[in-house]
Amino acid sequence: MAAVAHEHVRLAQSLPRQLLHFFKRFPPPQLSPGAPPPRPQTVQVVSDTSSSNPNAGGATIEVPADDPSPTPLIQNAKWKRNPFLAHKNPTTGNWHAPHYSLRRQADLFRLAVEYNVLPLMPESPKHPEIKAAKRVEQGLRVKGTGEGQRVKGKYWERTLKSRLEVRRKAMEAMPDMIRTWKETGHGRGWKKYPRGRTLPDNRRKGRGVLEYA
Amino acid sequence: MAKKAKSRTISVRLLSMAMTGYYMTFTRPRQHRPLSMLKYDPVVKKKVLFLEQKRGGSK
């Protein structure tokens, strides 16, 4: 027992100030003497941004199980075990922001990785494992290319295919048209002249899409 | 009051028959027949037929 305590003291002396302060305020349950490790409970945090859950990070986060006797003190302790997640007060229904901002969480995790104390850190959106899992799940996602999404595109992009098709057909008929035009005396007696078709009002820019009449 | 006299010449627009939307503007006598000529269309990078656009209507 004394050896374990000695080890903890040595660990504490080697840690930087920020991590030490964090572990003092929110002692990791693994280091508390005699306390059984908390039963992990899987909480599915959906990545729906419209959700009112501020913990929505698109990752499965394991948080300690609910205590059977929810007295205010225990609730507070439970929250303190997850100072990186927003907490919903079950009595009032109010959400309380995480004790540490995402920026400070990222700073702490960076230090935790550096000093090899990552297993002592609570779950957080900035946890490297959770971040890696999220990266695997989402991949290199480009907006609009996911399942059930589509890119609207600009007007010229949406109409490009049909316009190129019209152009291709016109170019196929061009040699015949030029031959006819030459045979009729370079325009003498030519009757079919094009009419510029005007665009809808919201697309009118002075130059209309042309229609051969 | 007398109406303003019409000008002798008009400017007309010659449209590329490659349906690229490319056009050129020329001036011709009002009484002349509609213009048509072979000209280079930079969109399709070829010499194509250009025909005068019909006047009137929404113009």
Side-chain angles (χ1 to χ4, degrees), chain A residues 106-194:
Chain A
D107 287 345
L108 284 176
F109 273 98
R110 214 170 290 132
L111 287 172
V113 169
E114 192 181 331
Y115 286 88
N116 291 321
V117 287
L118 200 57
L120 300 181
M121 299 295 282
E123 278 71 18
S124 149
K126 296 292 182 185
H127 197 288
E129 289 172 12
I130 292 175
K131 280 179 82 172
K134 204 170 151 186
R135 181 71 59 85
V136 168
E137 180 194 329
Q138 295 183 345
L140 295 173
R141 193 169 64 179
V142 179
K143 189 185 174 189
T145 55
E147 188 79 19
Q149 298 175 337
R150 73 181 194 93
V151 179
K152 183 177 179 183
K154 295 186 174 142
Y155 181 78
W156 70 266
E157 290 168 325
R158 295 197 299 268
T159 57
L160 183 63
K161 204 174 172 184
S162 57
R163 282 185 295 116
L164 286 179
E165 183 65 19
V166 168
R167 191 178 301 174
R168 188 185 63 78
K169 282 183 181 168
M171 284 310 289
E172 278 177 2
M174 187 59 65
D176 288 343
M177 187 185 262
I178 291 175
R179 197 182 312 116
T180 315
W181 177 78
K182 283 180 176 173
E183 284 169 0
T184 54
H186 291 74
R188 288 182 192 82
W190 189 272
K191 297 292 180 196
K192 292 160 71 178
Y193 286 94

Coordinates of all heavy atoms in Angstrom, one line a residue, chain A residues 106-194:
Chain A
A106 N -8.2 20.1 -24.7 CA -7.2 19.7 -25.7 C -5.8 19.9 -25.1 O -4.9 19.1 -25.3 CB -7.4 20.5 -27.0
D107 N -5.6 21.0 -24.4 CA -4.3 21.3 -23.8 C -4.0 20.2 -22.8 O -2.9 19.6 -22.8 CB -4.3 22.6 -23.1 CG -4.3 23.8 -24.1 OD1 -4.0 23.5 -25.2 OD2 -4.6 24.9 -23.6
L108 N -5.0 19.8 -22.0 CA -4.7 18.8 -20.9 C -4.4 17.4 -21.6 O -3.5 16.7 -21.1 CB -6.0 18.7 -20.0 CG -6.1 19.8 -19.0 CD1 -7.4 19.6 -18.2 CD2 -4.9 19.8 -18.0
F109 N -5.1 17.1 -22.6 CA -4.9 15.8 -23.3 C -3.5 15.8 -24.0 O -2.9 14.7 -24.0 CB -6.0 15.5 -24.3 CG -7.2 14.8 -23.6 CD1 -8.3 15.5 -23.2 CD2 -7.1 13.4 -23.3 CE1 -9.3 14.8 -22.6 CE2 -8.1 12.8 -22.7 CZ -9.2 13.5 -22.3
R110 N -3.1 16.9 -24.5 CA -1.8 17.0 -25.1 C -0.7 16.7 -24.0 O 0.2 15.9 -24.2 CB -1.6 18.4 -25.7 CG -0.8 18.4 -27.0 CD -0.8 19.7 -27.6 NE -2.1 20.0 -28.2 CZ -2.8 21.1 -28.1 NH1 -2.3 22.1 -27.3 NH2 -3.9 21.3 -28.6
L111 N -0.9 17.3 -22.8 CA 0.0 17.0 -21.8 C -0.1 15.6 -21.3 O 1.0 15.0 -20.9 CB -0.2 18.0 -20.6 CG 0.2 19.5 -20.9 CD1 -0.4 20.3 -19.8 CD2 1.7 19.6 -21.0
A112 N -1.3 15.1 -21.2 CA -1.5 13.7 -20.7 C -0.8 12.7 -21.6 O -0.2 11.7 -21.1 CB -3.0 13.4 -20.6
V113 N -0.8 12.9 -22.9 CA -0.2 12.0 -23.8 C 1.4 12.1 -23.6 O 2.1 11.1 -23.5 CB -0.5 12.4 -25.2 CG1 0.4 11.6 -26.2 CG2 -2.0 12.0 -25.5
E114 N 1.8 13.4 -23.4 CA 3.2 13.6 -23.2 C 3.8 12.9 -22.0 O 4.9 12.4 -22.0 CB 3.5 15.1 -23.2 CG 4.9 15.5 -23.3 CD 5.1 17.0 -23.3 OE1 4.2 17.7 -23.7 OE2 6.2 17.4 -22.8
Y115 N 3.0 13.0 -20.9 CA 3.4 12.4 -19.6 C 2.9 11.0 -19.3 O 2.9 10.6 -18.1 CB 3.1 13.4 -18.5 CG 4.0 14.6 -18.5 CD1 3.6 15.7 -19.3 CD2 5.2 14.7 -17.8 CE1 4.4 16.9 -19.3 CE2 6.0 15.8 -17.9 CZ 5.6 16.9 -18.6 OH 6.4 18.0 -18.7
N116 N 2.3 10.4 -20.3 CA 1.8 9.0 -20.1 C 0.8 8.8 -19.0 O 0.9 7.8 -18.3 CB 3.0 8.1 -19.9 CG 3.9 8.0 -21.1 OD1 3.4 7.9 -22.3 ND2 5.2 8.0 -21.0
V117 N -0.1 9.7 -18.9 CA -1.2 9.6 -17.9 C -2.5 9.5 -18.5 O -3.5 9.8 -17.9 CB -1.1 10.7 -16.8 CG1 0.1 10.5 -15.9 CG2 -1.1 12.0 -17.4
L118 N -2.5 9.1 -19.8 CA -3.8 9.1 -20.6 C -4.9 8.2 -19.9 O -6.0 8.6 -19.9 CB -3.5 8.7 -22.0 CG -4.6 9.1 -23.0 CD1 -4.9 10.6 -23.0 CD2 -4.2 8.7 -24.4
P119 N -4.5 7.0 -19.4 CA -5.5 6.2 -18.8 C -6.2 6.8 -17.6 O -7.3 6.4 -17.2 CB -4.7 4.9 -18.3 CG -3.5 4.9 -19.2 CD -3.2 6.4 -19.4
L120 N -5.6 7.8 -17.0 CA -6.2 8.5 -15.8 C -7.2 9.6 -16.2 O -8.0 10.1 -15.4 CB -5.1 9.1 -14.9 CG -4.1 8.2 -14.3 CD1 -3.1 8.9 -13.5 CD2 -4.8 7.1 -13.5
M121 N -7.2 9.9 -17.5 CA -8.0 11.0 -17.9 C -9.5 10.6 -18.2 O -9.7 9.5 -18.7 CB -7.5 11.7 -19.2 CG -6.1 12.2 -19.1 SD -6.0 13.6 -18.0 CE -6.6 14.9 -19.0
P122 N -10.4 11.4 -17.8 CA -11.8 11.0 -18.1 C -12.1 11.1 -19.6 O -11.3 11.7 -20.3 CB -12.6 12.1 -17.3 CG -11.7 13.1 -16.9 CD -10.3 12.7 -17.1
E123 N -13.3 10.6 -20.0 CA -13.6 10.6 -21.4 C -14.0 12.1 -21.8 O -14.5 12.8 -21.0 CB -14.8 9.7 -21.6 CG -14.5 8.3 -21.8 CD -14.0 7.6 -20.5 OE1 -14.3 8.2 -19.4 OE2 -13.3 6.6 -20.5
S124 N -13.7 12.3 -23.0 CA -13.9 13.7 -23.5 C -13.9 13.7 -25.0 O -13.3 12.8 -25.6 CB -12.7 14.6 -23.0 OG -12.4 15.6 -23.9
P125 N -14.5 14.7 -25.6 CA -14.4 14.7 -27.1 C -13.0 14.9 -27.6 O -12.7 14.6 -28.8 CB -15.3 16.0 -27.5 CG -16.1 16.2 -26.3 CD -15.4 15.7 -25.1
K126 N -12.1 15.3 -26.7 CA -10.7 15.6 -27.1 C -9.8 14.4 -26.8 O -8.6 14.4 -27.1 CB -10.1 16.8 -26.4 CG -10.8 18.1 -26.8 CD -10.6 18.5 -28.2 CE -11.2 19.8 -28.6 NZ -11.1 20.1 -30.0
H127 N -10.4 13.3 -26.3 CA -9.7 12.1 -26.0 C -9.1 11.5 -27.4 O -9.9 11.4 -28.3 CB -10.5 11.0 -25.3 CG -9.8 10.0 -24.7 ND1 -9.1 9.0 -25.4 CD2 -9.5 9.7 -23.4 CE1 -8.5 8.2 -24.5 NE2 -8.7 8.6 -23.3
P128 N -7.8 11.2 -27.4 CA -7.3 10.7 -28.7 C -8.0 9.5 -29.3 O -8.2 9.4 -30.5 CB -5.8 10.4 -28.4 CG -5.5 11.2 -27.2 CD -6.8 11.3 -26.4
E129 N -8.4 8.6 -28.4 CA -9.1 7.4 -28.9 C -10.4 7.7 -29.5 O -10.8 7.2 -30.6 CB -9.2 6.4 -27.8 CG -7.9 5.7 -27.4 CD -8.1 4.8 -26.2 OE1 -9.2 4.6 -25.8 OE2 -7.1 4.4 -25.6
I130 N -11.2 8.6 -28.8 CA -12.5 9.0 -29.3 C -12.3 9.8 -30.6 O -13.1 9.6 -31.6 CB -13.2 9.8 -28.2 CG1 -13.6 8.9 -27.1 CG2 -14.5 10.5 -28.8 CD1 -14.2 9.5 -25.9
K131 N -11.3 10.6 -30.7 CA -11.1 11.4 -31.9 C -10.8 10.5 -33.1 O -11.2 10.7 -34.2 CB -10.0 12.4 -31.7 CG -10.4 13.6 -30.9 CD -9.2 14.6 -30.7 CE -9.0 15.4 -31.9 NZ -8.0 16.5 -31.6
A132 N -9.9 9.5 -32.8 CA -9.6 8.5 -33.8 C -10.8 7.7 -34.3 O -11.0 7.5 -35.5 CB -8.5 7.6 -33.3
A133 N -11.6 7.3 -33.4 CA -12.9 6.6 -33.7 C -13.8 7.4 -34.6 O -14.4 7.0 -35.6 CB -13.6 6.1 -32.5
K134 N -13.8 8.7 -34.2 CA -14.7 9.6 -35.0 C -14.2 9.8 -36.4 O -14.9 9.9 -37.4 CB -14.7 11.0 -34.3 CG -15.9 11.8 -34.5 CD -15.9 13.0 -33.6 CE -16.6 14.2 -34.1 NZ -16.4 15.4 -33.2
R135 N -12.8 9.9 -36.5 CA -12.2 10.1 -37.8 C -12.5 8.8 -38.7 O -12.7 9.0 -39.9 CB -10.7 10.3 -37.6 CG -9.9 10.5 -38.9 CD -10.1 11.8 -39.5 NE -9.8 12.9 -38.6 CZ -8.6 13.4 -38.5 NH1 -7.6 13.0 -39.1 NH2 -8.4 14.5 -37.7
V136 N -12.4 7.6 -38.1 CA -12.7 6.4 -38.8 C -14.1 6.4 -39.3 O -14.4 6.0 -40.4 CB -12.3 5.2 -37.9 CG1 -12.9 3.9 -38.6 CG2 -10.8 5.1 -37.7
E137 N -15.0 6.8 -38.4 CA -16.4 6.7 -38.7 C -16.8 7.7 -39.8 O -17.6 7.4 -40.8 CB -17.2 7.1 -37.5 CG -18.7 7.0 -37.7 CD -19.5 7.7 -36.5 OE1 -18.9 7.6 -35.4 OE2 -20.5 8.3 -36.7
Q138 N -16.2 8.9 -39.8 CA -16.6 9.9 -40.7 C -15.8 9.9 -42.0 O -16.2 10.4 -43.0 CB -16.6 11.3 -40.1 CG -17.6 11.4 -38.9 CD -17.6 12.8 -38.3 OE1 -16.7 13.6 -38.6 NE2 -18.6 13.1 -37.6
G139 N -14.5 9.5 -41.8 CA -13.6 9.5 -43.0 C -13.3 11.0 -43.4 O -13.5 11.9 -42.6
L140 N -12.9 11.1 -44.6 CA -12.6 12.5 -45.1 C -13.9 13.0 -45.7 O -14.1 13.0 -46.9 CB -11.5 12.4 -46.2 CG -10.2 12.0 -45.6 CD1 -9.2 11.8 -46.7 CD2 -9.7 13.0 -44.6
R141 N -14.8 13.3 -44.8 CA -16.2 13.7 -45.3 C -16.2 15.1 -45.9 O -15.8 16.0 -45.3 CB -17.1 13.6 -44.1 CG -18.6 13.6 -44.6 CD -19.5 13.3 -43.5 NE -19.4 14.3 -42.4 CZ -20.1 14.2 -41.3 NH1 -20.9 13.2 -41.1 NH2 -20.0 15.2 -40.4
V142 N -16.7 15.1 -47.1 CA -16.9 16.4 -47.8 C -18.4 16.7 -47.7 O -19.2 15.8 -47.9 CB -16.4 16.3 -49.2 CG1 -16.7 17.6 -49.9 CG2 -15.0 16.0 -49.3
K143 N -18.7 17.9 -47.3 CA -20.1 18.3 -47.2 C -20.9 18.1 -48.4 O -20.4 18.5 -49.5 CB -20.1 19.8 -46.8 CG -21.5 20.2 -46.4 CD -21.5 21.7 -46.1 CE -22.9 22.2 -45.9 NZ -23.0 23.6 -45.8
G144 N -22.0 17.4 -48.3 CA -22.9 17.2 -49.4 C -22.6 15.9 -50.2 O -23.4 15.5 -51.0
T145 N -21.6 15.2 -49.8 CA -21.3 13.9 -50.5 C -21.6 12.7 -49.7 O -21.4 11.6 -50.1 CB -19.8 13.9 -50.9 OG1 -19.0 14.0 -49.7 CG2 -19.4 14.9 -51.9
G146 N -22.1 12.9 -48.5 CA -22.5 11.8 -47.6 C -23.7 11.1 -48.0 O -24.4 11.4 -49.1
E147 N -24.1 10.1 -47.2 CA -25.3 9.3 -47.5 C -26.5 10.3 -47.4 O -26.7 11.0 -46.4 CB -25.4 8.2 -46.4 CG -26.5 7.2 -46.7 CD -26.1 6.2 -47.8 OE1 -24.9 6.1 -48.0 OE2 -27.0 5.6 -48.4
G148 N -27.3 10.2 -48.5 CA -28.6 11.0 -48.5 C -28.4 12.5 -48.7 O -29.3 13.2 -48.6
Q149 N -27.2 12.9 -49.0 CA -26.9 14.3 -49.2 C -26.7 14.5 -50.7 O -26.3 13.6 -51.4 CB -25.7 14.9 -48.4 CG -25.9 14.7 -46.9 CD -24.6 15.1 -46.2 OE1 -23.6 15.1 -46.8 NE2 -24.8 15.5 -45.0
R150 N -26.9 15.7 -51.2 CA -26.5 16.0 -52.6 C -26.1 17.5 -52.6 O -26.5 18.3 -51.9 CB -27.7 15.8 -53.5 CG -28.8 16.8 -53.4 CD -29.9 16.5 -54.4 NE -30.8 17.6 -54.5 CZ -30.7 18.5 -55.5 NH1 -29.7 18.4 -56.3 NH2 -31.5 19.5 -55.5
V151 N -25.2 17.7 -53.6 CA -24.7 19.1 -53.8 C -25.6 19.8 -54.8 O -25.9 19.2 -55.9 CB -23.3 19.0 -54.4 CG1 -22.8 20.4 -54.6 CG2 -22.4 18.3 -53.4
K152 N -26.1 20.9 -54.5 CA -27.0 21.6 -55.4 C -26.2 22.1 -56.6 O -26.6 21.9 -57.7 CB -27.7 22.8 -54.7 CG -28.7 23.5 -55.6 CD -29.4 24.6 -54.8 CE -30.4 25.3 -55.8 NZ -31.0 26.4 -55.1
G153 N -25.1 22.7 -56.3 CA -24.3 23.2 -57.4 C -24.8 24.6 -57.9 O -25.9 25.0 -57.6
K154 N -24.0 25.2 -58.8 CA -24.4 26.5 -59.3 C -25.2 26.2 -60.6 O -25.2 25.1 -61.1 CB -23.2 27.3 -59.7 CG -22.4 27.7 -58.4 CD -21.3 28.6 -58.7 CE -20.7 29.0 -57.3 NZ -19.3 29.1 -57.4
Y155 N -25.8 27.3 -61.1 CA -26.8 27.1 -62.2 C -26.0 26.6 -63.4 O -26.5 25.7 -64.1 CB -27.4 28.5 -62.5 CG -28.4 28.4 -63.7 CD1 -29.6 27.9 -63.5 CD2 -28.0 28.9 -64.9 CE1 -30.5 27.9 -64.6 CE2 -28.9 28.8 -66.0 CZ -30.1 28.3 -65.8 OH -31.0 28.3 -66.9
W156 N -24.8 27.1 -63.6 CA -24.1 26.7 -64.8 C -23.6 25.2 -64.7 O -23.5 24.5 -65.6 CB -22.9 27.6 -65.1 CG -21.8 27.5 -64.1 CD1 -21.6 28.3 -63.0 CD2 -20.7 26.6 -64.1 NE1 -20.5 27.9 -62.3 CE2 -19.9 26.9 -63.0 CE3 -20.3 25.6 -64.9 CZ2 -18.7 26.2 -62.6 CZ3 -19.1 24.9 -64.6 CH2 -18.4 25.2 -63.5
E157 N -23.4 24.8 -63.4 CA -23.0 23.4 -63.2 C -24.2 22.4 -63.4 O -24.1 21.3 -63.9 CB -22.5 23.2 -61.8 CG -21.2 23.8 -61.6 CD -20.7 23.9 -60.1 OE1 -21.6 24.1 -59.3 OE2 -19.5 23.8 -59.9
R158 N -25.4 22.9 -62.9 CA -26.6 22.0 -63.0 C -27.0 21.9 -64.5 O -27.6 20.9 -64.9 CB -27.7 22.6 -62.2 CG -27.5 22.7 -60.7 CD -28.8 22.9 -60.0 NE -29.5 24.1 -60.3 CZ -29.3 25.2 -59.6 NH1 -28.5 25.2 -58.6 NH2 -29.9 26.3 -60.0
T159 N -26.8 22.9 -65.3 CA -27.3 22.9 -66.7 C -26.2 22.5 -67.7 O -26.4 22.5 -68.9 CB -27.8 24.3 -67.1 OG1 -26.8 25.2 -66.9 CG2 -29.0 24.6 -66.2
L160 N -25.0 22.3 -67.2 CA -23.8 22.1 -68.1 C -24.0 20.9 -69.0 O -23.8 20.9 -70.2 CB -22.6 21.9 -67.2 CG -21.3 21.7 -68.0 CD1 -21.0 23.0 -68.8 CD2 -20.1 21.4 -67.1
K161 N -24.6 19.8 -68.5 CA -24.7 18.5 -69.2 C -25.6 18.7 -70.4 O -25.3 18.4 -71.6 CB -25.2 17.4 -68.3 CG -24.8 16.1 -68.8 CD -25.3 15.0 -67.8 CE -25.1 13.6 -68.3 NZ -25.7 12.6 -67.4
S162 N -26.8 19.3 -70.1 CA -27.7 19.5 -71.2 C -27.2 20.5 -72.3 O -27.4 20.4 -73.5 CB -29.1 20.0 -70.7 OG -28.9 21.1 -69.9
R163 N -26.5 21.6 -71.8 CA -26.0 22.6 -72.7 C -24.9 21.9 -73.6 O -24.9 22.2 -74.8 CB -25.5 23.8 -72.0 CG -26.6 24.7 -71.5 CD -26.0 26.0 -70.9 NE -25.3 25.7 -69.6 CZ -24.0 25.9 -69.5 NH1 -23.3 26.4 -70.5 NH2 -23.4 25.6 -68.4
L164 N -24.1 21.1 -73.1 CA -23.1 20.5 -73.9 C -23.7 19.5 -74.9 O -23.2 19.4 -76.0 CB -22.1 19.7 -73.0 CG -21.1 20.6 -72.2 CD1 -20.2 19.7 -71.3 CD2 -20.3 21.4 -73.1
E165 N -24.8 18.9 -74.5 CA -25.5 18.0 -75.4 C -26.1 18.8 -76.6 O -25.9 18.4 -77.8 CB -26.6 17.3 -74.7 CG -27.4 16.2 -75.5 CD -26.5 15.1 -75.9 OE1 -25.4 14.9 -75.3 OE2 -26.9 14.4 -76.9
V166 N -26.7 19.9 -76.3 CA -27.2 20.8 -77.4 C -26.1 21.2 -78.3 O -26.2 21.2 -79.6 CB -27.9 22.0 -76.8 CG1 -28.2 23.0 -77.8 CG2 -29.2 21.6 -76.1
R167 N -24.9 21.6 -77.7 CA -23.8 22.1 -78.5 C -23.2 20.9 -79.4 O -22.9 21.1 -80.6 CB -22.7 22.6 -77.6 CG -21.6 23.3 -78.2 CD -20.6 23.8 -77.2 NE -21.2 24.7 -76.2 CZ -20.6 25.1 -75.2 NH1 -19.3 24.7 -74.9 NH2 -21.2 25.9 -74.3
R168 N -23.2 19.7 -78.8 CA -22.7 18.6 -79.6 C -23.6 18.3 -80.8 O -23.1 18.1 -81.9 CB -22.6 17.4 -78.7 CG -21.9 16.2 -79.3 CD -22.0 15.0 -78.4 NE -23.4 14.5 -78.2 CZ -24.1 13.8 -79.0 NH1 -23.5 13.4 -80.2 NH2 -25.3 13.4 -78.7
K169 N -24.9 18.3 -80.6 CA -25.8 18.1 -81.7 C -25.7 19.2 -82.8 O -25.7 18.9 -84.0 CB -27.2 18.0 -81.2 CG -27.6 16.7 -80.5 CD -29.0 16.7 -80.1 CE -29.3 15.3 -79.4 NZ -30.6 15.4 -78.7
A170 N -25.5 20.4 -82.3 CA -25.4 21.5 -83.3 C -24.1 21.4 -84.1 O -24.1 21.6 -85.3 CB -25.4 22.8 -82.5
M171 N -23.0 20.9 -83.4 CA -21.8 20.8 -84.2 C -21.8 19.6 -85.1 O -21.2 19.6 -86.2 CB -20.6 20.6 -83.2 CG -20.2 21.9 -82.5 SD -19.9 23.3 -83.6 CE -18.4 22.7 -84.4
E172 N -22.6 18.6 -84.8 CA -22.8 17.4 -85.7 C -23.5 17.9 -87.0 O -23.2 17.4 -88.1 CB -23.6 16.3 -85.0 CG -22.7 15.4 -84.1 CD -23.5 14.4 -83.4 OE1 -24.7 14.3 -83.6 OE2 -22.9 13.7 -82.6
A173 N -24.5 18.8 -86.8 CA -25.2 19.2 -88.0 C -24.6 20.4 -88.7 O -25.1 20.8 -89.7 CB -26.6 19.7 -87.5
M174 N -23.4 20.9 -88.2 CA -22.8 22.1 -88.7 C -22.3 21.9 -90.2 O -22.6 22.8 -91.0 CB -21.7 22.5 -87.8 CG -21.0 23.8 -88.2 SD -22.2 25.2 -88.2 CE -22.6 25.3 -86.5
P175 N -21.6 20.8 -90.5 CA -21.2 20.7 -91.9 C -22.3 20.7 -92.9 O -22.2 21.4 -94.0 CB -20.4 19.3 -91.9 CG -20.1 19.1 -90.5 CD -21.1 19.7 -89.7
D176 N -23.4 20.0 -92.6 CA -24.6 20.0 -93.5 C -25.1 21.4 -93.6 O -25.5 21.9 -94.7 CB -25.6 19.1 -93.0 CG -25.2 17.6 -93.2 OD1 -24.3 17.4 -94.0 OD2 -25.8 16.8 -92.5
M177 N -25.2 22.1 -92.5 CA -25.7 23.4 -92.5 C -24.9 24.4 -93.3 O -25.4 25.2 -94.1 CB -25.9 24.0 -91.1 CG -26.6 25.3 -90.9 SD -26.5 25.9 -89.2 CE -28.1 25.3 -88.6
I178 N -23.6 24.3 -93.2 CA -22.7 25.1 -94.0 C -22.8 24.8 -95.5 O -22.8 25.7 -96.3 CB -21.2 25.0 -93.5 CG1 -21.1 25.5 -92.0 CG2 -20.2 25.7 -94.4 CD1 -19.8 25.3 -91.4
R179 N -22.9 23.5 -95.8 CA -23.0 23.2 -97.2 C -24.3 23.8 -97.8 O -24.3 24.4 -98.9 CB -23.0 21.6 -97.3 CG -22.8 21.2 -98.8 CD -22.8 19.7 -98.9 NE -22.0 19.0 -97.9 CZ -22.6 18.2 -97.0 NH1 -23.9 17.9 -97.0 NH2 -21.8 17.5 -96.1
T180 N -25.4 23.6 -97.1 CA -26.7 24.2 -97.5 C -26.5 25.7 -97.7 O -27.0 26.3 -98.6 CB -27.8 23.9 -96.5 OG1 -27.7 22.5 -96.1 CG2 -29.1 24.2 -97.1
W181 N -25.9 26.3 -96.7 CA -25.7 27.8 -96.7 C -24.9 28.2 -97.9 O -25.3 29.2 -98.6 CB -25.1 28.2 -95.4 CG -24.8 29.7 -95.3 CD1 -25.7 30.6 -95.0 CD2 -23.5 30.3 -95.5 NE1 -25.1 31.9 -95.0 CE2 -23.7 31.7 -95.3 CE3 -22.3 29.9 -95.8 CZ2 -22.7 32.6 -95.4 CZ3 -21.2 30.8 -95.9 CH2 -21.5 32.2 -95.7
K182 N -23.9 27.5 -98.3 CA -23.1 27.8 -99.4 C -23.9 27.6 -100.7 O -23.8 28.3 -101.7 CB -21.8 27.0 -99.5 CG -20.8 27.5 -98.5 CD -19.5 26.7 -98.5 CE -18.5 27.2 -97.6 NZ -17.3 26.4 -97.5
E183 N -24.7 26.5 -100.7 CA -25.4 26.2 -102.0 C -26.5 27.2 -102.2 O -26.9 27.4 -103.4 CB -26.1 24.8 -101.8 CG -25.0 23.6 -102.0 CD -25.6 22.3 -101.7 OE1 -26.8 22.2 -101.2 OE2 -24.9 21.3 -101.8
T184 N -27.1 27.8 -101.2 CA -28.1 28.8 -101.4 C -27.6 30.1 -101.6 O -28.3 31.1 -101.4 CB -29.1 28.8 -100.1 OG1 -28.2 29.0 -99.0 CG2 -29.8 27.5 -100.0
G185 N -26.3 30.2 -101.9 CA -25.8 31.5 -102.3 C -25.3 32.3 -101.1 O -25.5 33.5 -101.1
H186 N -24.7 31.7 -100.2 CA -24.1 32.4 -99.0 C -25.1 33.3 -98.3 O -24.8 34.4 -98.0 CB -22.8 33.2 -99.4 CG -21.7 32.3 -99.8 ND1 -21.7 31.6 -101.0 CD2 -20.5 31.9 -99.2 CE1 -20.5 30.9 -101.1 NE2 -19.8 31.1 -100.0
G187 N -26.2 32.7 -98.1 CA -27.2 33.4 -97.3 C -28.4 34.0 -98.1 O -29.4 34.4 -97.6
R188 N -28.2 34.1 -99.5 CA -29.3 34.6 -100.3 C -30.4 33.5 -100.3 O -30.1 32.4 -100.6 CB -28.8 34.9 -101.7 CG -27.9 36.1 -101.8 CD -27.5 36.4 -103.2 NE -26.5 37.3 -103.3 CZ -25.2 37.1 -103.2 NH1 -24.8 35.8 -102.9 NH2 -24.3 38.0 -103.2
G189 N -31.5 33.9 -99.9 CA -32.7 33.0 -99.9 C -32.7 32.2 -98.6 O -33.6 31.3 -98.5
W190 N -31.9 32.5 -97.7 CA -31.9 31.7 -96.4 C -33.1 32.3 -95.6 O -33.2 33.5 -95.4 CB -30.6 32.0 -95.7 CG -30.4 31.1 -94.4 CD1 -30.9 31.4 -93.2 CD2 -29.8 29.8 -94.3 NE1 -30.6 30.4 -92.3 CE2 -29.9 29.4 -93.0 CE3 -29.2 29.0 -95.3 CZ2 -29.4 28.2 -92.5 CZ3 -28.7 27.8 -94.8 CH2 -28.8 27.4 -93.4
K191 N -33.9 31.4 -95.1 CA -35.1 31.8 -94.4 C -35.1 31.6 -92.9 O -35.8 32.2 -92.2 CB -36.3 31.0 -95.0 CG -36.6 31.3 -96.5 CD -37.1 32.7 -96.7 CE -37.3 33.0 -98.2 NZ -37.4 34.4 -98.5
K192 N -34.3 30.6 -92.5 CA -34.3 30.2 -91.1 C -33.3 30.9 -90.3 O -32.1 30.6 -90.3 CB -34.1 28.7 -91.0 CG -35.3 27.8 -91.5 CD -34.8 26.4 -91.8 CE -34.6 25.7 -90.5 NZ -34.2 24.2 -90.8
Y193 N -33.7 32.0 -89.6 CA -32.8 32.7 -88.8 C -33.2 32.5 -87.3 O -34.3 32.3 -87.0 CB -32.9 34.2 -89.1 CG -32.3 34.6 -90.4 CD1 -33.0 34.6 -91.6 CD2 -30.9 34.8 -90.5 CE1 -32.3 34.9 -92.8 CE2 -30.3 35.1 -91.7 CZ -31.0 35.1 -92.9 OH -30.4 35.4 -94.1
P194 N -32.2 32.5 -86.5 CA -32.4 32.2 -85.1 C -33.1 33.3 -84.3 O -33.0 34.5 -84.7 CB -31.0 31.9 -84.5 CG -30.2 32.8 -85.3 CD -30.7 32.8 -86.7

